[in-house]
Amino acid sequence: CTRAMKRRVRPVQVYPQYGGEECDPTKQEETCDALACDRPCVLNDWGPWRDCTRACEKGITWRSRSISKPATGAGKCPRTFSKARYHREYCNDNPCPSDVVCLAKLDLIIGLDASGSMTEDGWKAQSAALLGILDRVKLSAKDGLQIGLAKFAWDVTPVAQLTDDKAALIKKVKDLPYDGWTTNLGGLFRMMKGMLQFGRRDAPSVCMTWTDGRPSYPSDEYDAAAGADELRPVCRLMIVTMRPAVPKESVMPWVSHPKDQNVMAVDDPLVMADKVNDITTFYCAKIQRHADYIATTTAEPTKS
């Protein structure tokens, strides 16, 4: 950049003798790349609009511009979420139906909090909510959901790998014991990443964590953030907090973008079973009224 030079040379094969003429020049130089060293970045065209994050009650769709050529020297580049590189709009602001079924083609991994602060009653309520979730999904490896389950306290346990076997999932939930120990969130996020190896290439992934506490030994705030950083590039990371002691702001840095669309607050684990519909519309962007779904799936084939 700036006053750069390029040069070429050629060797002399025979030097002049006995009064012969001098050789032509053996070196040529000229300036090149006369652009400034401090150049701004070059952006690609706008990418496509993303799917709406929610099926109802105001989701978000967005598009962005990536960097084609990075800035050089003291050149500047717009920030990722500046107006020059990021547009967002609200979508699907219609009210949510009161009883829905998730029909999305989705690989969903749910992390269940079995820490000491959950208590036995909270664990039972959380398990009841999970059974309610399983009753409100279309499970299908071909065109519906696959669900995986993980439990975390001190240890992190893969309860069920991604599957569309509803009966097996229900049995796993009913047989799942309560641990009652610490809150290893960082370990959970890494476990979820490993469980994605059983996912489908043509299905988006959602990793939804239910927790009522802050990370604690063997995890901590730093470890949880590091685990989330590893998980977000491969899975949409969502968190449901189950106590006011865990404010939404404390987990916002961990979740995927858009941040405000990926955190849900519930006041107490004991009311989780009452929040099944809210949780379903929180993670699922393709829903149908439960009554309509039952009518569709039980209708007899049309005779020709």
Side-chain angles (χ1 to χ4, degrees), residues 106-296:
L106 191 68
D107 286 337
L108 172 65
I109 300 177
I110 302 177
L112 305 172
D113 190 340
S115 63
S117 58
M118 180 60 60
T119 73
E120 286 277 3
D121 288 340
W123 176 251
K124 291 177 182 178
Q126 192 178 189
S127 299
L130 183 53
L131 291 173
I133 293 291
L134 293 175
D135 191 47
R136 291 295 184 267
V137 294
K138 174 189 174 183
L139 289 172
S140 170
K142 180 181 178 181
D143 59 0
L145 276 86
Q146 290 192 139
I147 292 181
L149 304 174
K151 179 181 69 167
F152 67 101
W154 174 290
D155 293 321
V156 182
T157 306
V159 177
Q161 298 294 350
L162 287 163
T163 180
D164 63 350
D165 188 337
K166 178 178 285 190
L169 287 167
I170 290 174
K171 186 177 187 306
K172 291 279 190 181
V173 174
K174 289 182 176 179
D175 294 343
L176 200 56
Y178 170 58
D179 290 356
W181 202 240
T182 56
T183 310
N184 188 357
L185 275 169
L188 172 70
F189 295 151
R190 295 182 181 92
M191 175 66 74
M192 286 176 155
K193 181 180 179 182
M195 294 173 68
L196 290 172
Q197 65 181 304
F198 299 103
R200 296 164 290 181
R201 293 185 178 181
D202 61 344
S205 300
V206 170
C207 298
M208 180 169 57
T209 298
W210 299 357
T211 184
D212 79 330
R214 298 177 183 273
S216 56
Y217 192 83
S219 186
D220 56 23
E221 296 282 348
Y222 175 82
D223 178 68
D229 288 345
E230 294 177 25
L231 181 58
R232 280 196 307 273
V234 295
C235 193
R236 180 183 177 187
L237 177 51
M238 311 178 78
I239 295 180
V240 177
T241 63
M242 293 183 285
R243 289 195 195 279
V246 187
K248 294 173 66 172
E249 294 74 18
S250 68
V251 300
M252 281 280 191
W254 304 338
V255 301
S256 297
H257 178 81
K259 302 289 186 180
D260 56 339
Q261 294 284 304
N262 289 306
V263 179
M264 175 180 171
V266 175
D267 289 337
D268 193 288
L270 297 179
V271 302
M272 283 291 284
D274 299 327
K275 301 295 182 179
V276 168
N277 199 70
D278 294 339
I279 295 171
T280 301
T281 57
F282 171 56
Y283 78 82
C284 184
K286 184 180 180 181
I287 59 174
Q288 185 178 19
R289 293 178 186 272
H290 183 248
D292 295 339
Y293 175 72
I294 295 298
T296 301

